[in-house]
Amino acid sequence: MSFTTPPRPLDVAALFPQLAPMARSATRLHPRPGSPTVHDSSVGGPLLWPADEPWPLCEGPHDSDAAPRVHSPDDIRVLRRIRAAAAERLRDDPRAPVSTPEEAETEERIGKGRPWFDGPIPMLPVAQLYTRDVPLPASPPGADLLQVLWCPFDHPTHPRTALFWRSSGTVTDVLAAPPEPPTVQFVWYLPEPCSLAPEQVTEYPNPMELDKELQDQLSDVSRWQTAGDAWESRYAVAPDEFYANRLAHAPGWKTGGWSRWGLTDPVPRPCPECGTETVPLLTIASGEWDSVTRSWIPEEEQAGPTPSNLGNPPGDFTLIDIAGGYDLQLHACPADPSHPHIELVQ
């Protein structure tokens, strides 16, 4: 499995030379439904976790009023299998029933939810990244593996994450059956297991991170018109959006690159421990692309994107949703990545 980001419409650093020194490498992860093992880089897959190391727990607090119903991870997996079967059935025959009587009965039973659990919550695997597969902008000496877990409850507006760095060669006895939370707040906080197809791209800062002189240049339509047919005149009212949507940074799951802004203006992100300005480490995305970033759809999927397991909209592969379609960006300290990380929803 490999994916190729289409070439950008134009060389933005040639048109705006001040951007050239700001170029950064990002690695698009391109998660797609799969069956990863503990030895693979993945989203939502099993972790290479030492059998003698305690599994991380979230002590809370967890708000019992935050969701009308909660479900177990196994309930959610059963629902997903039912809906995947329905999607396949309807693809084969649009007149087929949406659900069988047995499926409808199971959905009704699961839909009633589970009793609230009041206690420490085992965290869920979100991502496992081997540096042999995925370049990381920062990692502690000797570490070749980053593991990301989260509590599947809002703290207060998104899941709380935990990062673990380790040397994979030291893990000889792997935990066979990690504990799972008895319930999760929302079904979209259980990542669908996905394999990765890492691809490096070049990114530039969000317009709001640029100085006023460069912002003014990006807003100058005549400057863009010199690019000829590569410039899309429909962006004439807001040319900086052409830059942000088509040229600046890739959507979806990725490591490195530049931060996405829009929900808020850019803010400083100093390391909580040493004050060093942190850098984007991992972007946990609600989807691979949306209506304004379709130009980033991989070439291999232009004619027909890989279908989601559930017949969800194209680009929704991990089945994760952050605050209604945003991204959860994790920032790490470049001086010492083992320092506490920063979470940013944008």
Side-chain angles (χ1 to χ4, degrees), residues 111-268:
K112 295 177 181 178
R114 294 273 181 172
W116 179 259
F117 176 79
D118 193 7
I121 299 290
M123 302 186 87
L124 281 171
V126 175
Q128 174 166 270
L129 305 176
Y130 285 89
T131 57
R132 66 168 188 256
D133 303 321
V134 181
L136 297 173
S139 60
D144 67 343
L145 179 60
L146 170 63
Q147 295 170 325
V148 182
L149 300 92
W150 69 19
C151 171
F153 288 82
D154 283 336
H155 290 270
T157 59
H158 59 80
R160 173 185 292 161
T161 57
L163 272 55
F164 294 85
W165 299 91
R166 66 176 79 252
S167 172
S168 61
T170 64
V171 183
T172 56
D173 190 7
V174 180
L175 183 63
E180 286 198 322
T183 57
V184 303
Q185 183 172 347
F186 300 115
V187 297
W188 50 85
Y189 286 169
L190 178 69
E192 183 74 0
C194 287
S195 300
L196 306 182
E199 177 205 15
Q200 286 196 281
V201 296
T202 299
E203 292 194 339
Y204 298 93
N206 183 280
M208 291 189 289
E209 291 203 79
L210 302 174
D211 62 35
K212 187 178 185 308
E213 179 185 355
L214 197 43
Q215 287 181 357
D216 289 343
Q217 291 181 20
L218 291 176
S219 298
D220 184 353
V221 174
S222 64
R223 187 77 170 263
W224 290 103
Q225 289 172 336
T226 63
D229 292 341
W231 156 247
E232 295 182 30
S233 58
R234 63 190 178 95
Y235 281 100
V237 175
D240 57 332
E241 291 187 11
F242 175 72
Y243 167 76
N245 296 338
R246 303 292 302 274
L247 305 170
H249 33 71
W253 287 71
K254 62 186 178 184
T255 60
W258 283 90
S259 297
R260 169 182 171 180
W261 300 98
L263 186 59
T264 69
D265 289 343
V267 295

Side-chain angles (χ1 to χ4, degrees), residues 1-2 16 23 38 48 96 124 131 136 190 212 242 248 298 338-339:
M1 181 176 67
S2 63
F16 302 94
V38 298
L48 187 78
L124 281 171
T131 57
L136 297 173
L190 178 69
K212 187 178 185 308
F242 175 72
S338 65
H339 287 175

Side-chain angles (χ1 to χ4, degrees), residues 294-307:
R294 292 185 59 82
S295 73
W296 295 88
I297 297 175
E299 291 180 345
E300 295 81 357
E301 295 181 312
Q302 291 283 334
T306 302

